Amino acid sequence: MRQAIGDRVVPGRATYAVLACAGAAFIVYGSLVPFDIERLTAAEALARFRLALGDPWRIDSRTDFATNILLAIPTSYCLMAALATDRRSTLVRFLLALVAIPACLSLSVGVEFTQVFFPVRTDSLSDI
């Protein structure tokens, strides 16, 4: 839904929500391709994920790091816009940011954990 502000037509919350969901879907898709799944027990998956999180934080590839940033920025912006568009109170916007930040972090951690099940993908603390 769009709304008019003066002579401009700007996207509404619903538009930003759709864009945020599309961005999240693109992140998940791009992080798991090719979909060659390895069967693991929950204990094995958690053990592998803990091992990956235990590695020191480092940037192995500047391109990979830049890609992660360039994927996350529009998605997180659209999520925050979906939550905060038309909200005038600074306090409400701040509280909504406290919702958006953990949501984006959860997406990132979830994608990295899911990569444990895909042998060609590498889960890494630096990607979170």
Side-chain angles (χ1 to χ4, degrees), residues 35-88:
F35 296 108
D36 182 24
I37 299 173
E38 177 183 358
R39 291 181 178 259
L40 298 173
T41 66
E44 289 173 323
L46 286 172
R48 287 186 186 184
F49 191 60
R50 275 193 214 112
L51 187 63
L53 293 180
D55 288 343
W57 189 86
R58 66 182 183 277
I59 299 172
D60 294 326
S61 164
R62 284 186 275 174
T63 304
D64 187 41
F65 182 75
T67 302
N68 288 332
I69 297 297
L70 291 174
L71 285 172
I73 288 174
T75 303
S76 58
Y77 173 84
C78 288
L79 175 61
M80 190 61 201
L83 294 172
T85 296
D86 299 331
R87 311 245 190 216
R88 297 186 190 274

